[in-house]
Each structure stands twice: as C-alpha cells, then as structure tokens.
C-alpha cells in the first residue's frame, strides 16, 4: 500500500513540476519576444515628427503615441492616443458610431452584441492604436455586411490592426490630418510550441489577412509595407498611398 502511495505522490509531483516548467517556458517566451526591442530599440524618429515621401517609418509604442490636434467642431471628444481604453469603446457620435481604444481579443463579439437592437449605423469612425488582428478582421467584415462607411477625422489615428477595420467600409474617408500606419503582426502564436507549429500559425494568420484584403478590394501590395516594418515601428501611409492601395475611396 505504501509503495502505491509513493507512486501516486511521485506522479503528482511530476505533473506539478511539468506545470511549473511550462509556466517558466511561457514567461520566458514572452521575454524572448520582447528582448530584441529591449536590446536594440528602434532608432527611427518619434511619431511627432512629420512624415514625407521616403521618410515614413516611425518608432511605435502605443503608450507613447503623441496627441494630435483634433477638429474643434468634432461631435465628441476623443482620448489621447497614449491614453486609449484597453478595449474598444463603442459610442454614438452624431450620425456615426465611434470605435476608439485598443482592439482586444473578444472585441468583435462585443461589437456584435452592442449592435443588437440598434439601427445599423451608416458610418463608423475610427481612433485606435490597433491590437488583435483576428478581431479587427471580424469587425471589418461586420462593417461591410452593414454596408457602412468608415471615416477618420482630424487628429484620429489608425495603426497596426486598425487599418483592417478601416478597410471594411464600403466607403473609406481619411482626413489629411489623421494618421494610418501598418507593420508586422503577431497572431497570438505560442512561442513555447515547436517552431513548425508556430510558423504554421503565422502563415495561417497571414493567409486570413490576405484573403480579407482581397475581399475588401484592397491592393495586396500594401502587405509588402506591413511585412517589411518591424512590430516596434510603424509605416505611416501618405494620402496618395491610401488612394493608390484603395484604403480610401473617391466619388465616381
């Protein structure tokens, strides 16, 4: 009986040791992901430096995004980019619905729930530093299914995954004093998994993005800009590039 108890105890201890080890590996994975930017942070100019053709890459940390002058006649105040809500906030702003804050996992479902029982909005205004790619794609598809347009007003920003939401609009209008930027994404891949599984997850995520952009009528050349810009930097699209890649629409 004692031998059986010892076997059970050893099994329990082995499971506990495995769980502790996995926790250490996962924590170490997060550290390894952040390590490159800690060792060699971007030396690009900050976002408060104006961009010009050929000089469009800027340092990117959502908490450090500087505020931009906004339209004094805007319907509702918007938060400073460095002080965004940690999850998307949905609110009616005149005839539009304002989506502002970080796009977190589950926000696409929250948006669908928020829309229930409301008249479908005709316009979605964006002000977000980005976040969950898959949620951004889902929100963009919801916007397209509603036949709503997307807009950005003076002082608004739309970085990282946010441009995918912008792309969902049947019409897309971006004020010249707002900023739209793209860069590489993480697809919530688990760095503790074997490399071939992690790569497979990344490729699956990129395939979802490519399929989405194609469905939205966006020029896939924009992916070259995204994939060539590290996660701690952002490539700010010029107005002519937004037009060229179909991120903005013009009246025909």
């Amino acid at each position: 009986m004692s031998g059986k108890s010892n076997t059970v105890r050893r099994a329990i201890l082995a499971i506990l040791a495995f769980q502790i080890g996995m926790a250490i590996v996962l924590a170490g994975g997060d550290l390894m992901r952040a390590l490159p930017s800690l060792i060699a942070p971007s030396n690009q100019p900050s976002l408060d430096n104006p961009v010009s053709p050929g000089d469009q890459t800027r340092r990117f940390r959502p908490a450090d995004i500087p505020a931009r002058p906004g339209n004094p006649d805007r319907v509702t105040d918007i938060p400073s980019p460095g002080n965004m809500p940690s999850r998307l906030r949905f609110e009616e702003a005149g005839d539009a619905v304002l989506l502002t804050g970080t796009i977190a996992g589950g926000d696409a479902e929250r948006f669908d729930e928020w829309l229930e029982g409301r008249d479908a909005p005709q316009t979605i205004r964006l002000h977000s530093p980005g976040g969950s790619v898959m949620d951004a794609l889902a929100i963009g598809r919801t916007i397209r299914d509603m036949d709503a347009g997307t807009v950005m007003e003076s002082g608004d920003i739309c970085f990282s995954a946010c441009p995918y939401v912008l792309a969902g609009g049947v019409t897309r209008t971006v004020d010249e004093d707002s900023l739209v930027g793209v860069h590489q994404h993480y697809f919530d891949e688990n760095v503790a998994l074997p490399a071939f599984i992690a790569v497979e997850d990344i490729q699956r995520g990129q395939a979802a993005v490519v399929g989405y952009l194609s469905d939205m009528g966006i020029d896939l050349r924009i992916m070259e800009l995204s994939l060539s810009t590290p996660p701690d930097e952002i490539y700010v699209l010029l107005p002519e590039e937004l037009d060229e890649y179909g991120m903005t629409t013009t009246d025909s």
Side-chain angles (χ1 to χ4, degrees):
M1 196 70 176
S2 175
K4 184 176 181 180
S5 297
N6 288 336
T7 300
V8 172
R9 186 179 296 109
R10 284 196 295 271
I12 293 173
L13 290 174
I15 293 172
L16 179 60
F18 175 77
Q19 291 175 332
I20 293 174
M22 283 302 296
I24 293 172
V25 170
L26 290 171
D30 289 339
L31 176 61
M32 290 301 294
R33 177 181 292 178
L35 197 56
S37 61
L38 293 174
I39 295 175
S42 171
N43 60 1
Q44 295 291 344
S46 60
L47 272 162
D48 54 3
N49 286 264
V51 299
S52 59
D55 179 27
Q56 296 161 247
T57 304
R58 297 291 180 264
R59 290 198 306 273
F60 179 74
R61 287 188 64 225
D64 295 338
I65 298 174
R68 295 176 57 76
N71 180 356
D73 298 324
R74 64 193 177 204
V75 176
T76 183
D77 288 334
I78 58 174
S80 168
N83 191 32
M84 288 281 192
S86 59
R87 302 195 69 171
L88 270 186
R89 186 174 71 199
F90 321 121
E91 59 182 314
E92 295 177 352
D95 296 331
V97 168
L98 172 62
L99 271 59
T100 184
T102 301
I103 306 170
D107 277 350
E109 183 177 355
R110 289 180 56 240
F111 185 49
D112 289 341
E113 292 172 351
W114 187 85
L115 289 169
E116 289 180 5
R118 301 174 185 267
D119 293 335
Q122 295 302 301
T123 305
I124 305 293
R125 179 183 168 194
L126 302 173
H127 181 54
S128 169
S132 168
V133 175
M134 293 307 175
D135 281 82
L137 300 183
I139 292 171
R141 289 195 182 278
T142 294
I143 292 172
R144 181 60 62 94
D145 290 343
M146 292 190 300
D147 289 327
T150 48
V151 301
M152 293 179 61
E153 297 183 7
S154 175
D156 292 344
I157 63 162
C158 186
F159 292 152
S160 188
C162 176
Y164 302 137
V165 182
L166 175 66
V170 291
T171 58
R172 301 175 290 278
T173 305
V174 177
D175 188 275
E176 63 180 8
D177 289 325
S178 60
L179 293 178
V180 179
V182 297
H183 67 175
Q184 297 171 9
H185 299 298
Y186 292 120
F187 290 94
D188 300 323
E189 73 276 12
N190 187 335
V191 294
L193 293 175
F196 73 92
I197 298 179
V199 170
E200 182 180 336
D201 286 345
I202 295 170
Q203 290 177 336
R204 187 181 296 112
Q206 295 289 9
V209 169
V210 169
Y212 171 84
L213 292 176
S214 178
D215 290 345
M216 298 300 120
I218 306 300
D219 191 326
L220 295 182
R221 288 180 299 158
I222 198 171
M223 289 294 292
E224 180 180 355
L225 304 176
S226 175
L227 294 173
S228 61
T229 306
D232 63 341
E233 297 177 357
I234 201 82
Y235 180 93
V236 179
L237 291 153
L238 299 172
E240 53 266 35
E241 290 176 312
L242 292 171
D243 290 340
E244 178 183 355
Y245 297 126
M247 288 298 293
T248 51
T249 57
T250 56
D251 295 332
S252 57

